[in-house]
Amino acid sequence: MDPIHPIPEAISHRQLAQLLRSAAVEPTVAAEPGGDLAGGERHRELDALLQAYGQLSVQLLKAFEGAGDDLGRGRTPRQVMAMGALRAHAHMALQALAASQP
């Protein structure tokens, strides 16, 4: 990241909406003659890893839901908050993964 424009600690909904309105339109990815998207073998490996990550994230979220009140048993309040943050980030990661798919 550019040191002149560091990543902010927080951003308001209004600022995020303004960034979205001013963002450039995304170019489409052209397919190679063989029908494969640009990137070849590395692209396929990344796609496979992302698919596996998505499946594992879904399993993790199901485990969180299944644990219910037992999730906090034997954990400090800080650990429970960390687990909640992990759950929230897993949800956001799945949304980002879905948005990144063609």
Side-chain angles (χ1 to χ4, degrees), residues 4-91:
I4 296 172
H5 301 289
I7 298 173
E9 290 292 323
I11 187 167
S12 72
H13 179 69
R14 182 174 291 161
Q15 291 169 314
L16 187 60
Q18 176 59 32
L19 288 172
L20 183 60
R21 283 192 297 275
S22 64
V25 176
E26 294 182 27
T28 57
V29 177
E32 291 181 351
D36 191 19
L37 293 177
E41 182 64 28
R42 289 191 315 195
H43 183 76
R44 285 189 293 276
E45 289 175 9
L46 178 60
D47 282 347
L49 286 171
L50 289 171
Q51 185 68 25
Y53 175 78
Q55 292 170 354
L56 187 58
S57 295
V58 168
Q59 290 175 353
L60 178 64
L61 290 172
K62 286 180 181 177
F64 274 128
E65 291 172 10
D69 292 337
D70 290 338
L71 186 63
R73 196 164 287 133
R75 289 190 169 87
T76 66
R78 183 178 171 137
Q79 289 172 326
V80 173
M81 286 191 300
M83 297 291 273
L86 177 62
R87 184 174 178 258
H89 281 85
H91 275 288

Side-chain angles (χ1 to χ4, degrees), residues 87-98:
R87 184 174 178 258
H89 281 85
H91 275 288
M92 289 187 294
L94 285 173
Q95 290 174 353
L97 181 60

